[in-house]
Amino acid sequence: MATDRIARRQASDARPLVVCGKRGNAEELVAIDATAEQRGLRIAMTLAQARAMHPELVAVEEDAAADAHLLEKIADWCRRYTPLTALDPPDGVLLDIAGCAHLFGGEAALAEDLAARVAGFGFAVRVGVADTIGAAWAAARFSPMASITPGAEREALAPLPLKALRIAEETAADLRRVGFKRIGDLIDMARAPLAARFGEALLRQLDRALGLEREPLQPRLPVAPYVAEQPFPEPITREEDVLAVAERLAHRLSAMLERRGEGMRRIELELFRTDGQVSHIATSMSRPIRDAHAVRALFNERLAALADPLDPGFGFDLARLNVIAAEPCPPQQTALDQSHDDGELDRLVDRLSARLGARRVTQLNAQDSHIPELAAMNVPAQAVGAAHGWPAFRCFRDAVALSPRPLRLLTRPEPIEAIASVPDGPPLRFRWRRALHEVASAEGPERIESAWWSDDAGPARDYFRVEDGAGHRFWIFRAGLYRDTVTPSWFLHGLFA
Amino acid sequence: MEAAHPSLAPARDSDTGPLRCCGCVLVPGALHEVAARSESASAAASGFVLALAAWAAGPRATLWIAEEMALAENGALYGPGLESFGLQPEHLIRVAVAHEREALWAMEEALRCRGVGAVIGEIRGTDRGIGLTASRRLALAAGHDGATAFLLRASPSDAPVAAATRWIVGAAPSAAKAHGPGPPRLAVHLTRNRRGSQGSWVLEWNSVEQRFDLAAADRQPVAEADGDRPHRTAASV
Amino acid sequence: MRYVEFACTSNFSFLRGASHPEELMAQAATLGLSGLGLCDRNSVAGVVRAHVAKREQNMTLRYHPGARLVFADGTPDILAYPRDRAGWGRLTRLLTLGNLRAEKGDCILYVDDLLAHSDGLEFIVMEGAARLLAQLREAAPGRVRLAASMLYRGDDRARLAKRAEQARAAQVPLIAVNDVHFHHPDRRPLADLLTCIREKTTIDRAGRRLAANAERHLKPPIEMARLFRDYPEAIAETLRLSDALTFSLDELKYEYPDEQVKGFASPQEALEHLALKGAARRYPAGLDDTIKQSLAHEFSLIAQRHYAPYFLTVHDIVQYARSRGILCQGRGSAANSTVCYCLGITEVDPVRGGLLFERFISTERQEPPDIDVDFEHERREEVIQYIYDKYGRERAGIAATVISYRGRSAVREVGKAFGLSDDVIGAVTSSIWGGGGGRLRDNDLRRAGLDAHSNTVRKIQALVDEIVSFPRHLSQHVGGFVITRSRLDEVVPIGNGAMDDRTFVEWNKDDLDALGILKIDVLGLGMLSCLRKAFDLVEKDYGERLTLSSIPAEDPAVYRMLSRADSLGVFQVESRAQMSMLPRLRPEKFYDLVIEVAIVRPGPIQGDMVHPYLRRKQGLEPVSYPSKELEVVLSKTMGVPLFQEQAMKIAIVAGGFTPGEADKLRRAMATFKRTGTIGTFRDKMVKGMLERGYPREFAERCFGQIEGFGEYGFPESHAASFALLVYASAWLKCHYPDVFAAALLNAQPMGFYAPAQIVRDVREHGVEVRPPDVNFSDYEATLEPGPAAAGRLHELHRDMAGDIRTTHAIRLGLREIKGLSEEDAKLIVARRSSFFTSPLAGKVDQRRLAGVDRVGGKQQTSALASTPLPIPPPTKGRSRPSSTGYGGRKECVASTEQVISYDSLRDLWLRTGLAPRVIERLADADAFGSLGLSRRDALWAVKALQRSGDHEDLPLFRVPAARREPDVALTPMPIGEEVVNDYRFLRLSLRAHPSSFLRADLARRNIAANDTLRATRNGAWVRVSGLITVRQRPGTAKGVIFMTIEDETAIANIIVWPKTFERFRPIVLGARFVVVSGRMQSESGVIHVVADRLEDLTPLLARLAEGGADIDALGRCDEVRRPVQDDPRDILMRGSRRALVSLLQDMPELAADLDIPARASRHVPAKKRRTS
């Protein structure tokens, strides 16, 4: 799954793709794609070994969070079939399709539809259908049969490897070492010796798979008390259509709500994209409502306020409105109260940013660099916690007793004509913007070298703080040291008060 | 309203504030105008205004609203250099605007915000001036929540403005030290003071105490604050 | 203009200084400084190097060793320089104090320590702290200065004025320093890189932690004067200080302890007496004139140089080892003296084989005598502790080893600092075979996804080159001991080692040598452990008492065996290169072995001396000498120089060097990288030889050889001592292969081969090998009566039928079981044989046991667990423990019945109290054969023991399973799977070779068995297969890979040329089982297959067992698994490459050995075996 996740994002090529992660001290392969598998790479191989074998290999650092997130998204998407979906990490989703399979033309048709769609998203997928979670799990992963008929679990599971029992790899390995290789080897074994050696858990898994013990499915999301949904044969894309369907669904629900004297307090609109993305838009009301039109208005607001605009891709083919919280509803409706107060300054910044552009409403952040123009950076004030570099700067400044820095820094150092005493001396006079300044007093140099590791590193600079006869104070520097160059050039970089 | 908010009050013994050496205390909630004596004095004027604003804002935010052209001309405020004038860079929000109208709008918005303690508007326009109406709106907005407003002008102007005080600030040679310039000195003229007298001083910024001191034993006479436009003179050298 | 720089930090301030001390010294001389003071952070580790650089290059500037004291209490740094010898002692004691307070590598100092140790020291305080200055001025009046520096910080002159004011206020002089961190501003990138490594960050995140500029470099006096023009007195003060410092490291001369022997007036007298007494024992027939003369000569030399105490010390240590039954042997130039032979320090009779040296201590060379003593590696620690005990920690310490950045570590650190990801770094470093000299090859970079031509990569390469050989930290030398007459900590600081009970000094061998401080190398040698174990086995099982000296000399059977290259396990000559050299050299006498040991070394190979010697030895070329004067030098080696002594002698006799110069030359080679003065020597020698009429080509070869000897030289004196061990081990292998193999197994890890290969070899020699078994095995391999080996020889070894005396079988020890700890294994053995002899038996009283019932549960269990191991309940005969709780206890505790062997797995569990997972290991290893339990049966039984298997969970307190279990018939394990499991848990299988199961399949694929190669003609195309046991890619052989594979019939040696390797890279590196198609190459009985194509048949192995066959047959010298750390290839590569290449084309396997001389010559295990 992890390699599919990555492959979906990158242009695929013929190179083997692997995902690697730290296991103990070694960097190991934790997921591989089909190409990698064909070329002889295996999960749990060290990355170094894999690289040695296939230097062209593409290795991506594992991202457990991204994988988990992806699995959740897939599980969400599966809610199009049934609200009873559960995660089966790291790469499985469980669906309770009892009672809803008929909506999709039966179990087989549902399985086929699901497999086709998920495959269409770019994932390798296997589907198993059975009466027990265990059997379905085994069927999906190990059986040539995708579906196990009720009552035939024994026959179907017997030839499968022990891993198909959802037991720890360690236990399976222990069992193999004493000669048990398939589930069938265990089914008729005396239970007590097995339990004594391999624990009750083994037998419980066996019983669960065979349907001798019930195993409930724990749905990932609570099942909403009121749900209405609408599939679209022709996927919809326009925001207008989304709002319309929201209103229609709300209308449908309001009838149910009214019957029980309740109103919506918190609702969620689920939009299923044809490519498997699911958007959730939730909104709360300050008091319970049943008015479908108000719901539309609310979603209108919410859609407008979304940080990322709603992206329909190739369209939504299913919409569902869940009432997550409902409360007894008084007969009359009231207008929505929208006031919330988040810090005046933030609102000011938002207002200014909205009008002038976020780029122009900025704060200064200190950067960890000696180079003056890099030492402070302009960041949009809307970026939270933008100015966190200053305490470190103050520590540094105090520790080395940094020479004074100018009040204003020119956007770009401006070349000046200067006559200086060599070596290392300040200019005697210089001309900036056509004005000649006689240097009355100067301090320096402060030598700041460039970032040698960077490709666009300039020459070293010698900074001087100079004051002209009229009391104007400047920060000027000579680019290039006398030991490196014979023709240094001079620049004015900043102004002191 | 103006009477209720005297903008520059006489300093008493207990008064702090950067201008106590001149015998006055800047009172929040008013509009002040600071003009650079010449283009080359813009840094000096910036330092002056910043020292006043930082003190006036206290722990609240300071907004520096400047026309983009001004930034290109005079450079942008440089974070590592701010603290010597008492302003922590964390408390500064810089707003770049395209023209004066935007600057005035932004200033007014900012002055009405409770989280803001000082607003500085750096205005280049010299000829037209911002006008009495606009400045009155600013003064009003400043009075509203106690934020202090500063108009920082690139050059002195005689155009009427609803400012409580008007200052003209120029550079002054620092007291020479053995190796390099000493603490910054400014030649300051208070040309209008709604609540008191006017005056001229050479001030030396004391970055440790965060206040101006009267420059000891002026080495040089203070240049007159007349309209001799010394920047033009300099440009022709 | 004159100036002395006193604040100079070298790269011995680890990860701070960015120049070698030698570089600082050289640069200071170049810039015309009047002097230089070297002061590293709480260390004097680098001071000797600068001292040597000055001495070797005759620099005239003054040099002052000192230290920069860095305090743990916030006190500013203080530079301390000794005025005189006493001051030096004070400084080193101060540092020792701080070192011993801290963990290894750290030094914790407080200002009070300094105040207490300030006599004889001059101080420079780096910051103007008034109180400290006052304090220090009081403690050291007139010896305190305040430092000022001009480092381009903008307001330097104001700072300087302020500092001057502080100095004036504190009434101390101001002194100019530049706080130097590198010798030249170009080192700024490297300095920044070091900062990144130290701060564990990357170069673009390091920000302000890097220095803003590169001003902390050495500056010429005129520049310093300009910078300090405001205060010229600060410059003058540097000269005043320099004048006050009279101390030189040369004053730390010979300080050897007096070895007073009772009853003798002087050490010399004692030595002569002991030597003569020994001589009478060595030569019972009486001393002939040669011996008398050489003794007299040596005595006079020793007396002249006052070395008698040194010999007495070595003698004493050797005596001690002997008294404890620890096998040892001396070597080194002085060791192969008649005196040492008579004292019993060595066993090599200098007369035997014409080893008499005319000189073992040069009167001209100021170098101390050189004796290394090898001890059994397993018992060396006893000797070390004896030395500590005898001389005390303040007089004895181990020398340091400077651990430096090498290829891989350099690439890793530089790569990290440049933000390369771990897997890119891994890809780059893994392509550096064998540790690498550091040069990154473009191909390897490309493979790791880097563009070799990008700026960044070029910078990385440049920095890698620079940082290689930078010291990283100090470690203790393997066994070089310094012993002094007075306090050692007044000579050099002592610090804590990583191991408990170890302290070591800050200087390494070269430093100590350079100062003429005597040391004794107390080294560990695996082969000595092996031989001692072998001697013990021979005595126990064959009733014959052997010693190194009593092994019959010059046994033709031994030489016959070696000439057939039947040398697996034999000391020094077991590598592939040696094995292919043996049939060519055909050793016939002891001296041939001396040559054999020395010839496969970088020196002779690089000097192109191997071919000529072989041709002469084989009679293909007449023996001739370049000149009459060289005939004396070269007669023992048929006119071809092979030994270091000969190369030096040539420089003297033919090149016109004085002995002192020749020695300087040798040492210059060792430090080539750091000083770079080699060219002058080359010119001098070649010129000298041309003048004396030698051909230029010969002169250059001789010099090439000296170059090769530089770091990896092999002197005849060492070779002779080693040859004795070659002979002894070969003799054992020849006559008692069972004993030899068992001893080898028990001395693991050592040598080149893994147990599987040792076992295979010994079985081919007719010896039966039996599996480890809980009832029969000891911890180590033992011998059991068995069939006579002579009748069961593999046809290869048929000739040996008359020589082999073996009448025993080997029983493998429990130590072969992977993952079983030594402690657990020994417990199994102990509880099996002497169960009730434990003194604890009576102490477990009824009251306490009753308490178990009352209190019950865990609490009591843990209470008991903290007391010495409780005695598990005994069992009687075959009965199992009572199933009704503790009812049977009384009877059990009362019983004292002696039980010989375990009668069931459960019995073993109860008697040993081992955790079930440990017993599972035994089951996995199939060690219950004597109980009739198959692997699966045993595992099934183990699983029934309670599963929570830690030590608290003692069987004593557990209710045994009440019900009797139904019998379970487990499916027998297929033989193939058994073999796979054998490999997995024992690393070898006695049942069958995995390839035997695949033979039918292999035959179908037209793959021949390896043993058919011998009958195949040279040049034929063949197709063979096997498990890979070794892969080596010597840097010398231009990427050729040497691979060894084995099938059930024999091993086959494969050569993979680079072109082929690139095509089949994944297979060479990743496969376990391969098919090789290629051409036969056979010469002098040495057979190779030159691979043309390879196929990976590893998946076939998987068929042997479900769940995959994890068969690992890799030997100890496989480089892919075990990268070589020390790599001489950078040395080899600079020499006469052409000669090398032609030799390698002829005998490519030679190159296989060239990468490992450092490892092989020291014969210390390259890495400790991981105890899992």
Side-chain angles (χ1 to χ4, degrees), chain C residues 329-337 340 345-350 354-361 365 367 369-372 374 571 590-591 594-595 597-598 636 642-646 666 709 713-725:
Chain C
Q329 191 189 220
R331 60 189 159 95
S333 61
N336 287 101
S337 60
C340 280
I345 293 169
T346 51
E347 297 297 339
V348 184
D349 182 348
L355 279 176
L356 267 184
F357 296 109
E358 76 276 22
R359 169 188 70 85
F360 72 95
I361 306 168
R365 299 197 314 178
E367 196 169 276
D370 169 24
I371 304 181
D372 299 346
D374 294 321
F571 187 61
F590 183 74
Y591 197 78
V594 179
I595 288 173
V597 166
K636 280 190 294 190
L642 293 176
F643 298 109
Q644 198 178 44
E645 290 89 342
Q646 290 174 314
R666 183 181 60 81
F709 279 141
F714 214 68
E716 184 185 29
S717 48
H718 284 264
S721 288
F722 275 174
L724 187 71
L725 300 185

Side-chain angles (χ1 to χ4, degrees), chain A residues 20 22 27 39 45 47-49 51-56 59-61 161 170-171 174-182 185 189-190 192-200 366-370 375 389-394 396-397 400-404 422-425 442-455 462-463 465 478 481 483-484, chain C residues 151-159 185 188-190 192-193 203-215 217 219 223 226-227 418 421-424 426-427 430 446-449 455-456 459 463 920 924 935-937 939-945 947 963 965-966 968 970-971 973-974 977 981 984-985 1065-1067 1069-1072 1096 1105-1107:
Chain A
C20 55
K22 270 241 184 301
E27 191 90 345
R39 308 258 184 107
M45 211 175 227
L47 179 61
Q49 198 185 356
R51 256 192 204 290
M53 289 169 62
H54 295 289
E56 77 281 11
V60 179
E61 203 63 38
E170 216 173 291
T171 313
D174 280 350
L175 284 162
R176 274 199 302 274
R177 279 155 66 205
V178 291
F180 301 112
K181 314 233 152 155
R182 329 222 143 254
D185 296 341
M189 271 290 296
L194 274 183
R197 287 168 174 80
F198 302 100
E200 295 287 346
Q367 300 282 107
D368 194 358
S369 173
H370 288 295
W390 293 107
F393 169 76
R394 289 184 190 110
F396 165 74
R397 180 193 62 197
V400 306
L402 191 68
S403 283
V422 281
D424 295 345
E443 180 177 80
E446 178 178 356
R447 186 161 290 176
I448 299 177
E449 300 258 6
S450 59
W452 53 266
W453 56 92
S454 143
D455 282 344
D462 268 357
Y463 277 91
R465 203 156 62 87
R478 189 188 61 234
L481 307 183
R483 70 164 180 260
D484 297 332
Chain C
L151 293 173
Y152 287 76
R153 286 168 296 205
D155 51 353
D156 286 330
R157 294 177 74 187
R159 283 174 201 245
R188 182 172 76 101
L190 185 60
D192 287 349
L193 179 85
I203 191 74
D204 46 9
R205 289 205 194 130
R208 294 178 297 243
R209 281 172 285 187
L210 306 177
N213 60 40
E215 292 311 305
H217 61 267
K219 291 177 182 168
E223 172 70 1
R226 189 185 68 78
L227 289 171
F418 273 83
S421 70
D422 280 356
D423 66 279
V424 170
S430 68
R446 232 191 322 280
R447 202 165 284 121
N455 278 337
T456 306
K459 280 172 189 141
L463 284 166
E920 197 175 320
D924 279 329
R935 188 173 253 132
R936 276 192 182 157
D937 292 337
L939 280 169
W940 183 252
V942 173
K943 286 291 174 192
L945 307 177
R947 304 183 72 216
R963 286 166 294 141
E965 285 192 336
V968 172
L970 301 169
T971 334
M973 188 180 278
E977 196 173 333
N981 277 303
R984 189 177 294 155
F985 297 104
R1065 182 184 185 92
I1067 299 179
L1069 293 176
R1072 293 282 167 82
D1096 183 0
E1106 197 159 335

Side-chain angles (χ1 to χ4, degrees), chain A residues 355-356 360, chain B residues 33 65-70 95-108 120-135 138 151-154 157 159-161:
Chain A
R355 169 94 170 256
L356 304 169
R360 297 165 88 184
Chain B
E33 187 195 82
I65 297 159
E67 286 178 86
E68 269 160 352
M69 278 307 290
V95 182
V97 295
H99 44 74
E100 196 178 289
R101 209 172 54 244
E102 262 183 5
L104 293 174
W105 170 80
M107 285 182 77
E108 208 178 319
I120 301 156
E122 187 175 7
I123 306 290
R124 275 181 83 245
T126 48
D127 299 335
R128 281 181 291 118
I130 64 160
L132 206 57
T133 324
S135 59
L138 290 179
L151 272 177
L152 176 60
R153 306 181 57 96
S157 156
V161 70

